[in-house]
Amino acid sequence: MKRLINSIKKMNNKQKITILSGIICAFVAVAMINLGLSFASTESDVETYLVDQVVDGLSFEKADLVYENGISKYTAELHNDQSSDYMLKYIEIVFKDVDSNEITRMATYVGDNIKADSVRYITASIDQEITGISAIEYVIQK
């Protein structure tokens, strides 16, 4: 340690500033990396409520819920994996909290025949922040 201090004393101010700047940059880089990792969503966060679900023979896949500009927007792929067509009017999407209490519902109108082995893209939105949900339930209205 004494040798390091003596080496630093022998340096001119420009060399000291260069070394100090490098140390500060290294600390800032480490802090930014750690901060970025703490805000990154993990797959387990996503899996808690955006898991694929099958309801009455229809599968809801690749669900996403985004809050932006005061609007929560839900999107998903609706797959009819059955060998026959499926007729329905609309789907109610029920958003629940950790205690399985309903937070809100959104409806997405389908109102049509979904052909066998086909995919529909569904969306619904609400002017409320609901991204802190814990579960999604689908109610099919035929």
Side-chain angles (χ1 to χ4, degrees), residues 5-85:
I5 293 171
N6 287 334
S7 296
I8 293 173
K9 286 182 180 178
K10 291 178 185 177
M11 292 180 188
N12 63 34
N13 284 340
K14 186 176 181 182
Q15 290 173 322
K16 290 177 185 176
I17 290 173
T18 303
I19 290 175
L20 184 59
S21 296
I23 292 171
I24 290 172
C25 285
F27 279 118
V28 169
V30 169
M32 289 177 71
I33 289 170
N34 285 333
L35 184 64
L37 292 176
S38 68
F39 284 116
S41 71
T42 62
E43 195 155 317
S44 64
D45 292 338
V46 173
E47 289 179 1
T48 57
Y49 66 89
L50 293 175
V51 294
D52 294 350
Q53 295 184 42
V54 177
V55 178
D56 198 33
L58 297 175
S59 63
F60 296 82
E61 300 177 13
K62 299 180 183 173
D64 192 26
L65 181 62
V66 177
Y67 181 71
E68 189 174 71
N69 298 324
I71 304 288
S72 290
K73 182 179 180 184
Y74 167 85
T75 57
E77 291 181 4
L78 177 63
H79 294 256
N80 180 5
D81 296 327
Q82 302 177 62
S83 57
S84 60
D85 293 358

